[in-house]
Amino acid sequence: LTLSSGLGFKPKPNPNPKRLGLAAGGRSEPEPKAFEDFVLQLQKNLCRQVEELDGSGAKFCSDDWEDSRGHGVTRVIEGGDIVAKGAIS
């Protein structure tokens, strides 16, 4: 997802490696649960920001999925004033 700075989106600095379950310096493998929690929180924050920027009251709906590759959450928004249709997976 890329939003122009004209829409008021300001990227945050790179996350602290410890938040991703990494050792100091990010050299070891992340802990799967810590990384999953980080990605889900990032997705939630992105959705909230897009909803706020759109301003129409349109909200993302969630589609939890699971298949042979794993599981995840796809979030979709439709009918907004700025975002006609979009998804964050």
Side-chain angles (χ1 to χ4, degrees):
L1 173 67
T2 304
L3 298 175
S4 73
S5 60
L7 294 175
F9 178 79
K10 294 182 181 176
K12 294 184 179 179
N14 289 333
N16 179 337
K18 289 183 180 181
R19 284 186 58 207
L20 299 178
L22 298 174
R27 290 184 299 274
S28 67
E29 291 294 317
E31 295 176 23
K33 181 65 175 143
F35 184 72
E36 180 179 354
D37 291 346
F38 167 77
V39 171
L40 290 173
Q41 186 62 47
L42 178 62
Q43 181 187 48
K44 180 180 177 181
N45 291 341
L46 287 170
C47 290
R48 182 185 48 77
Q49 290 177 3
V50 170
E51 290 169 350
E52 288 176 8
L53 288 170
D54 184 74
S56 69
K59 300 290 183 190
F60 279 87
C61 62
S62 294
D63 176 27
D64 295 0
W65 58 269
E66 187 170 344
D67 64 17
S68 61
R69 297 172 293 168
H71 66 278
V73 179
T74 300
R75 306 222 14 205
V76 178
I77 189 170
E78 292 184 89
D81 291 341
I82 296 174
V83 182
K85 191 173 194 178
I88 299 176
S89 314

